[in-house]
Amino acid sequence: TEASNFFQFPTTQPKFNYVYILYQQCITRQETHKLLRHLNINTSRILDISFLGRNIISLLVHCHYLPEFISIIQIAKIPILKDFDPSHLDNLKDRKYKKCSAPERDTISKQCHRTRCLRAIAMQPLP
C-alpha cells in the first residue's frame, strides 16, 4: 500500500521518466493538458511538458503512474518513441546551428537538453 511504501528504504530508481510521443500539429501546453484529460490521464502526474523539435512532445511522468499512463496512451493508439534520444544532434533543428560542425552541434544539443531538464526541475514545488 502507499502507506507502507512511505516507510521503505529509498530506491536508486528514478522517480520520474520522460515519455516521448508524436503529435500532428502545433499545440500549446494548455491544449496538451486538455487532450490528456480527455484521455482520462491524471495530469497531476505529468510534471513537465516540452515540445522537442517537430512533432515530438516530451512528458515527464511519475514512475508509479508510468505503467497506467503507457497503457492509456497505447489504447488510444498514440505512438510512443521508445528509442528517442532528445540530446542527439539530429534533433537540433534550429537553422542558426546548421553551419556548425557535428561535434559542435552535438555539444549544443546536449546543452539544450540539459537546460530543458533543469527548467523542468526548477518548475517543481519544493518537498
Side-chain angles (χ1 to χ4, degrees):
T1 66
E2 192 172 324
S4 64
N5 287 341
F6 178 78
F7 295 103
Q8 301 298 319
F9 284 109
T11 63
T12 58
Q13 294 179 338
K15 293 184 180 184
F16 309 99
N17 288 9
Y18 274 106
V19 177
Y20 304 100
I21 60 174
L22 295 173
Y23 68 100
Q24 293 183 4
Q25 60 189 21
C26 287
I27 189 170
T28 65
R29 280 184 175 80
Q30 239 178 354
E31 292 169 327
T32 303
H33 272 281
K34 185 178 177 181
L35 290 172
L36 292 173
R37 281 191 300 270
H38 182 71
L39 293 171
N40 292 322
I41 289 175
N42 182 353
T43 56
S44 67
R45 299 293 185 133
I46 309 294
L47 301 175
D48 184 52
I49 298 172
S50 298
F51 299 94
L52 310 175
R54 290 194 175 152
N55 304 338
I56 299 172
I57 297 178
S58 165
L59 301 166
L60 184 59
V61 181
H62 193 278
C63 69
H64 294 300
Y65 187 63
L66 189 61
E68 184 179 346
F69 175 81
I70 289 176
S71 173
I72 293 169
I73 292 293
Q74 288 174 338
I75 289 169
K77 297 184 178 164
I78 298 171
I80 297 175
L81 302 174
K82 294 185 180 183
D83 297 325
F84 180 75
D85 179 7
S87 64
H88 193 273
L89 65 102
D90 288 343
N91 297 318
L92 192 63
K93 303 292 184 186
D94 196 328
R95 290 182 185 161
K96 67 182 174 186
Y97 302 124
K98 199 169 190 170
K99 293 181 181 178
C100 295
S101 67
E104 288 174 323
R105 289 181 49 225
D106 185 52
T107 301
I108 294 166
S109 183
K110 284 179 173 52
Q111 288 173 343
C112 289
H113 178 63
R114 183 176 185 277
T115 301
R116 232 181 274 117
C117 291
L118 290 172
R119 193 177 315 128
I121 291 168
M123 296 298 291
Q124 302 312 311
L126 294 173

